[in-house]
Amino acid sequence: EDKVVQSPLSLVVHEGDTVTLNCSYEVTNFRSLLWYKQEKKAPTFLFMLTSSGIEKKSGRLSSILDKKELFSILNITATQTGDSAVYLCGSGGYQKVTFGTGTKLQVIP
Amino acid sequence: NAGVTQTPKFQVLKTGQSMTLQCAQDMNHEYMSWYRQDPGMGLRLIHYSVGAGITDQGEVPNGYNVSRSTTEDFPLRLLSAAPSQTSVYFCASSFAGGRTYEQYFGPGTRLTVT
């Protein structure tokens, strides 16, 4: 059975701090590692990491994939209150994605 | 494009009642999925479809039926609602053959079974 574990479960930081969210995975047929941000409603896509693309960056957010140790991290630098959300990590392909429980990030002014 | 739409937004059912959650997408995506999200459990896959006429079970399929008669629509049927099915349900779609496995999620349906 595929398994994705995220840590920490929740995190409170001050604006301007840097945070690191963790995701470990055990899957039988690795296709990709996906990061989503979920505010009040639907998750929105952040990054996809694969065997051929193990590092992604977009503005203050970046993510890496360690294929040997089977984990990924999501880094957010210079956090803002708008970064407050649940961050979901999942592993899978087109039709089947196994998600972790998410990390709830709260950024306080 | 409306993207992925879901109706209703909220629903309250009594135990034993049946209902259908609607999901539609206008992006011509081949793949569609249904997830439920419970506190502390993340997103769990209920059923998915790789195209019209083709569906398969996910991680937690019991108590739910799906069908896919068109590319656009992927309804989820609760046959006999139970309190354990109280949850937020998300429909998602993705494009086969794209460069990413990105899924586009609908806004969700919050279901309460009493």
Side-chain angles (χ1 to χ4, degrees):
Chain A
E1 182 181 324
D2 294 350
K3 191 174 177 183
V4 174
V5 178
Q6 293 186 246
S7 64
L9 290 180
S10 65
L11 194 54
V12 180
V13 301
H14 288 95
E15 264 191 322
D17 287 350
T18 292
V19 298
T20 298
L21 309 183
N22 303 297
C23 175
S24 65
Y25 60 93
E26 289 178 36
V27 298
T28 53
N29 184 18
F30 178 78
R31 304 287 292 276
S32 73
L33 194 292
L34 302 153
W35 284 98
Y36 286 83
K37 177 182 181 182
Q38 185 176 24
E39 296 176 84
K40 293 296 183 185
K41 291 185 177 178
T44 53
F45 177 76
L46 293 175
F47 296 120
M48 182 182 80
L49 301 145
T50 66
S51 298
S52 58
I54 61 171
E55 191 166 349
K56 292 289 174 71
K57 184 175 170 60
S58 176
R60 298 178 294 104
L61 276 66
S62 63
S63 182
I64 61 168
L65 176 71
D66 188 320
K67 295 177 294 180
K68 184 178 176 185
E69 300 298 330
L70 305 183
F71 76 86
S72 174
I73 64 170
L74 176 67
N75 254 16
I76 308 175
T77 59
T79 51
Q80 303 170 356
T81 55
D83 295 326
S84 295
V86 173
Y87 290 83
L88 296 166
C89 168
S91 181
Y94 288 117
Q95 60 264 43
K96 292 184 74 172
V97 177
T98 299
F99 284 94
T101 54
T103 292
K104 183 176 181 179
L105 173 66
Q106 184 181 358
V107 182
I108 55 178
Chain B
N1 282 356
V4 180
T5 58
Q6 291 183 237
T7 56
K9 287 187 170 53
F10 302 94
Q11 183 71 49
V12 178
L13 289 179
K14 293 189 187 314
T15 297
Q17 287 185 317
S18 62
M19 79 158 296
T20 299
L21 307 186
Q22 301 291 345
C23 173
Q25 52 91 9
D26 62 359
M27 298 174 283
N28 206 30
H29 284 172
E30 291 87 345
Y31 295 110
M32 296 186 74
S33 303
W34 275 103
Y35 294 90
R36 59 178 289 174
Q37 187 173 37
D38 304 296
M41 300 290 287
L43 288 165
R44 291 185 291 169
L45 183 64
I46 305 171
H47 286 285
Y48 63 96
S49 169
V50 301
I54 307 170
T55 63
D56 206 347
Q57 295 181 351
E59 183 185 350
V60 288
N62 293 339
Y64 307 95
N65 270 359
V66 292
S67 59
R68 183 104 179 264
S69 56
T70 67
T71 300
E72 296 78 20
D73 299 299
F74 191 41
L76 178 73
R77 296 182 191 83
L78 280 70
L79 308 172
S80 177
S84 61
Q85 294 179 304
T86 293
S87 189
V88 179
Y89 290 85
F90 288 101
C91 178
S93 72
S94 59
F95 174 60
R99 292 168 61 185
T100 85
Y101 296 129
E102 175 184 358
Q103 292 187 324
Y104 295 79
F105 285 84
T109 294
R110 184 175 292 275
L111 175 69
T112 301
V113 183
T114 61

